[in-house]
Amino acid sequence: MAAWAGDTTQWLLITLALASSSGILAVGFVALYARFMELSDPRQAGIDFTLLQCTDALVSMIGGIGSGWIAQHFGYSACFGVAAFLTVVALPVVVLLGRRSPSSVEEIENSLSPRVAAHQL
């Protein structure tokens, strides 16, 4: 909106763009890491979360290098086109995987507690 107004300084536009992108990125990280924690097994949560986070970082590095290569050789329009295509392809997979719920809290608590046979009581 500030850019369309026409009378906004370039510094204000840069500040607004950086602040809004940082805010959106922060919200995305909170949602992603909350999902990682939800998917982690409580018996080895540190290992599971670390593996998920490392995989996320690896995919980000591959995506950054790949998009830079595509932009260099085919231009930014091809880069954004490939990104849009991959988003459309990934969306159904994300929806399907998002419907699966992790084990309920009760199941997790039962698996963590020692099991005592009824005849031992």
Side-chain angles (χ1 to χ4, degrees):
M1 294 298 293
W4 287 330
D7 58 349
T8 308
T9 66
Q10 185 177 13
W11 286 107
L12 179 61
L13 289 176
I14 291 170
T15 303
L16 289 172
L18 289 174
S20 64
S21 67
S22 296
I24 291 169
L25 189 62
V27 168
F29 277 129
V30 169
L32 180 65
Y33 291 163
R35 184 66 175 159
F36 284 173
M37 287 185 266
E38 185 180 12
L39 293 172
S40 297
D41 185 343
R43 294 170 291 191
Q44 59 177 24
I47 294 170
D48 290 354
F49 185 83
T50 301
L51 287 172
L52 289 167
Q53 191 174 12
C54 288
T55 302
D56 174 50
L58 180 64
V59 169
S60 295
M61 286 188 290
I62 291 169
I65 292 169
S67 63
W69 186 87
I70 291 170
Q72 179 182 7
H73 289 87
F74 302 104
Y76 285 106
S77 59
C79 183
F80 287 120
V82 169
F85 172 75
L86 291 175
T87 301
V88 169
V89 169
L91 190 59
V93 176
V94 170
V95 169
L96 286 173
L97 292 176
R99 288 184 182 164
R100 290 182 13 188
S101 64
S103 300
S104 68
V105 174
E106 185 177 304
E107 289 175 9
I108 293 170
E109 288 174 356
N110 288 339
S111 69
L112 293 175
S113 64
R115 295 194 174 122
V116 179
H119 68 278
Q120 292 177 346
L121 297 174

